[in-house]
Amino acid sequence: MLDPEQLWRAFPQALRKLNPVALFRNPVMFVTEVGAALTTGIAVFHPTLFGWLITGWLWLTVVFANLAEAVAESRGKAQADSLRRTRQQTTARRLAGWEPGAAAGAWVEEAVAAAELRRGDIVSVPAGALVPGDGDVVEGAASVDESAITGESAPVIRESGGDRSAVTGGTRVLSDRLVVRITQEPGGSFLDRMISLVEGANRQKTPNELALNLLLVMLTFVFLVAVVTLQPMAIFSKDAMAAAPDTAALTADGVTGIVLVSLLVCLIPTTIGALLSAIGIAGMDRLVQRNVLAMSGRAVEAAGDVNTLLLDKTGTITFGNRRASAFLPVGQVPVERLAKAALLSSLADDTPEGRSIVAYAYEKHWLTDRTVDGAEWVPFTAASRMSGVDLPGDTLRPQRGGGRQLRKGAAASVAAWVREHGGEIPAALDETVDEVSASGGTPLVVAERDGGSAQVLGVVHLKDVVKPGLRERFDELRRMGIRTVMVTGDNPVTAKAIAEEAGVDDFLAEATPEDKLDLIKREQAGGHLIAMTGDGTNDAPALAQADVGVAMNTGTSAAKEAGNMVDLDSDPTKIIEIVEIGKQLLITRGALTTFSIANDIAKYFAILPAMFVAVYPGLGSLDIMGLHSPLSAILSAVVFNAVVIVALIPLALRGVRYRPSSASALLTRNLWIYGLGGIVAPFLAIKFIDVALVQFIPGI
């Protein structure tokens, strides 16, 4: 629930927060501190055991409130220290005069401190070196260790071009070499922002939190006026109370003032006032623990109210490049023969699509790369739109003599190659190609020449592969009442096929950046809160407009700067966890507010009858707890008021568990557990404290 050592480490910070200037931003606890100061003065001039006990517990109430916030902040500071250790003084290899495609002698490499780098500088990062600053890869591809940022040990691939070109300062290149264009300003690195945010420097109150603070201020003011007006009544009832043995102790010098301060502190909503800040801080920290960086608490809170989610297709719903999904033979060609031919003809194709064919052949047909002595490889080029291999002898069918030529590529290019070598194009090929195209896929034709005429073997179906598990996650979003919309630049046929496979509610095809922006604005005009995930530069305007913009860490710098959250794991399904954390934050705040107001009822039943039963004997019927004496009743209520804060710190930090359900069901559950529980639990606790006080302090 809560590590005692963590409480002990946070205790000095809680004491430092007793500074009235710092505490003034929390009006409820500021009034409590003023009350503690008043009782301290009264206890000094009119010392009584009761007065000092009340004073001590009032100060503990303030300290415990500060402790809740300090514990929440300490988690962020521990994470910041861990991140700070990853930021080292790095020497960068700046390339002066470097241009894309320039020969080695056209530029000069110079060693400079990473702190001296400016936006636009070009640096070389060899294997084993740290990336000196945030930037985009402009040349090369390499494996990069980002565990210092994401916490994950598995390396990732970063390469020039596309949406996986962004690198973060402080990460380490494990293989090959990257040329990086620096995109950060001095002192404004992504790591610097992470450290600042997790330490809580930029945390600001959200609109709902400000509204709740205003409510707490008004309640505090109302109860302050009510208690102040009780002073004339206390003077009026002094003689009657002095004549009653049970209440005579309340009329001793200074005790009346201490009792009134105790009443005020127990009347105002100190519990939620003490925990409100910790709830907000813990919500942001829970995101950081899931490798999501929130730029503000407003974004976390907005995530809890999101009802429309826009998802970019490429890299979010689907993998970044089209992948092989099926081998479709033409005629009587065995599928194994087509698979082997597709594999061998793709070994010289270094494009993502070519690599996916090799991977698919291994995964589905247990074929492995084979080195063929004397083979002449035909690499893929944009001009030929084909790749292939010329094999010595008959590698595919050793029982027949003669060399073999294999080609794989665009349908038109391979068809022209087949005709050029005396082959014919079967009618079944056109049908297969049209079916693949109609489904939104890309057909690649595989052909073979065995020394005579060429022959079409079949088609490789390339498609946007939907990331596994998305349909189930979208079903979960639907249960939360969140509508999902896929946004893509593809044609409507392809978009519809992907949308149906992924299980989204709607889609927007052939979308330009302006179309995405207009869609968000229309939804917002209808009163909806919009969340969007994306990773490309073309997503940046929409990410900036959305109420919750979640950029993938593997995306471009423009996308990360536009969003108000960054997913360090680059997992688009993480938006579900983000929404759950946002809802959990709102539910936790509501639950503890309900509990705080409800448990005040027990304190009223403890203090009010004890104070005025001598003047109004009818109040004796309200003393349903049967507390020992007026002094013990008041002290028990004050002790409970302080202790309950510490007891609720774990719940404030962990959050109330969220289960997808309707708003009415959540409200009912909230009232039964935290409303009724907030009434019953304090009655039992105050009675227990009263019995314990009488045992340890018999004269009270």
Side-chain angles (χ1 to χ4, degrees), residues 401-427:
R404 289 291 180 269
Q405 292 177 303
L406 301 173
R407 295 294 184 270
K408 179 253 351 178
S413 300
V414 175
W417 181 83
V418 170
R419 292 191 183 97
E420 181 183 343
H421 292 85
E424 295 183 358
I425 306 301

Side-chain angles (χ1 to χ4, degrees), residues 424-470:
E424 295 183 358
I425 306 301
L429 177 64
D430 292 334
E431 294 176 3
T432 304
V433 168
D434 290 343
E435 288 176 2
V436 171
S437 299
S439 68
T442 300
L444 296 181
V445 177
V446 180
E448 172 193 3
R449 183 187 179 210
D450 61 0
S453 60
Q455 175 190 3
V456 173
L457 300 181
V459 174
V460 179
H461 185 177
L462 295 180
K463 61 177 290 188
D464 285 315
V465 179
V466 174
K467 294 183 177 181
L470 281 185

Side-chain angles (χ1 to χ4, degrees), residues 599-609 619-629 633-634 636-637 640 679-691:
N599 73 38
D600 285 344
I601 296 175
K603 289 178 276 187
Y604 304 159
F605 275 85
I607 293 182
L608 293 178
L619 289 177
S621 60
L622 296 180
D623 188 16
I624 57 178
M625 286 180 277
L627 302 179
H628 180 264
S629 68
I634 295 169
S636 298
F640 170 78
I679 294 175
V680 174
F683 276 96
L684 300 176
I686 290 175
K687 178 61 178 179
F688 175 81
I689 293 171
D690 181 75
V691 172

Side-chain angles (χ1 to χ4, degrees), residues 343-360:
L343 168 67
L344 290 171
S345 59
S346 298
L347 293 177
D349 184 358
D350 198 37
T351 64
E353 291 80 6
R355 293 195 294 266
S356 78
I357 294 173
V358 174
Y360 184 78

Side-chain angles (χ1 to χ4, degrees), residues 91 136 147 165 177 226 256 277 279 302-303 341 431 448 527 590-591 626 634:
T91 299
D136 292 325
S147 59
S165 61
R177 169 181 171 271
T256 302
S277 179
I279 294 169
E431 294 176 3
E448 172 193 3
I634 295 169

Side-chain angles (χ1 to χ4, degrees), residues 312-314 487-492 495 508-512 516 538:
D312 181 54
K313 186 206 75 175
T314 304
V487 182
T488 177
D490 287 341
N491 62 72
L508 176 65
E510 298 178 341
T512 64
K516 298 177 186 179
N538 63 329

Side-chain angles (χ1 to χ4, degrees), residues 52 88 124 183 269 293 314 341 351 390 402 417 651:
W52 282 114
Q88 304 177 14
S124 172
T183 58
L293 177 63
T314 304
T351 64
D390 294 340
W417 181 83
L651 182 60

